[in-house]
Structures are given as C-alpha cells and as structure tokens.
Amino acid sequence: LAIHVLESIHDYYRIACSDTSRGATATRKQVLLSVTGKSVREASQVSALAKVIGARMETVRIEARKRLELEERNELIPYMEILSRKSCEGSTIVSEDEKLNVVTFYEQEHVSEV
C-alpha cells in the first residue's frame, strides 16, 4: 500500500510541476508540507521521500522545516481548510456593511417612489 500511495503522490506532484502558475506552485508546496510529518522527519526519510516523489531535495527540506515550525506553534492548518475559498477584502471589494447600507437606502419609501 505504501508504495502505491507514494506512486500516487509522485504522479500528482509531477502533474503540478507541469504547471508554472502561482496556484500550482502553492499546490506543490502544500503537498510537500502535508507529507513531511513527524514520522518522516524522525526516521530521517526526508531525502528518500524527495527522491521517490521526484521533488528537489532542498525544496522538501524547506517544507519539512516549515511544517516543524507550524507544529511547534500549533498553527498547522488542515489541507482542506487551506484549499477553501477565502473571503475577499480590499479597497476594490464592497464590504458586507456597505452592501447592507445600500440595500437599506433603496428600501426606504421615499427612494423607492422615485
């Protein structure tokens, strides 16, 4: 089973490597972050993992260190939560409060009669 799982990760990582977009780069980093857990690090298997999935050794080591730091600070976020849509905030985005104010304005009787 472990061999087949590693082959699947290798194939998925290779697909992500064929895309140079920002999203694909983030996906590759998240894959590496998710597979470099405590058991892999403690067994000194980071370099073997890099070789099996076809990733650069230094990239895997960086993500392994990043995961260790996140675990130590108890800030490791589940993979699916990372993939979920983020709410938009910014100067070009209309906030919920502004939308509510506009709707309230147009619902007033003297405005709707015009």
Side-chain angles (χ1 to χ4, degrees):
L1 176 64
I3 292 170
H4 297 296
V5 170
L6 286 173
E7 287 174 354
S8 294
I9 293 170
H10 173 265
D11 293 342
Y12 186 79
Y13 190 81
R14 189 177 42 175
I15 291 168
C17 285
S18 65
D19 186 356
T20 58
S21 69
R22 195 178 319 169
T25 301
T27 298
R28 288 192 303 270
K29 288 182 175 228
Q30 289 303 318
V31 166
L32 295 178
L33 192 70
S34 65
V35 297
T36 53
K38 184 177 181 180
S39 58
V40 172
R41 292 189 314 265
E42 287 180 350
S44 300
Q45 294 294 308
V46 173
S47 58
L49 177 66
K51 186 176 180 181
V52 169
I53 65 174
R56 287 182 48 232
M57 190 96 53
E58 187 58 28
T59 304
V60 178
R61 286 188 179 136
I62 289 169
E63 295 307 316
R65 281 192 297 268
K66 194 181 299 182
R67 175 160 176 166
L68 177 62
E69 291 171 6
L70 289 170
E71 287 173 350
E72 288 174 348
R73 293 189 315 245
N74 201 23
E75 294 177 355
L76 193 60
I77 301 171
Y79 186 62
M80 293 309 290
E81 189 175 323
I82 291 169
L83 294 179
S84 66
R85 267 190 110 82
K86 308 293 187 276
S87 62
C88 298
E89 295 294 328
S91 60
T92 60
I93 307 298
V94 178
S95 72
E96 293 299 318
D97 290 336
E98 291 174 12
K99 289 178 188 177
L100 185 60
N101 287 338
V102 169
V103 169
T104 304
F105 173 77
Y106 282 107
E107 287 180 342
Q108 295 175 6
E109 289 183 30
H110 67 277
V111 174
S112 61
E113 291 174 2
V114 174

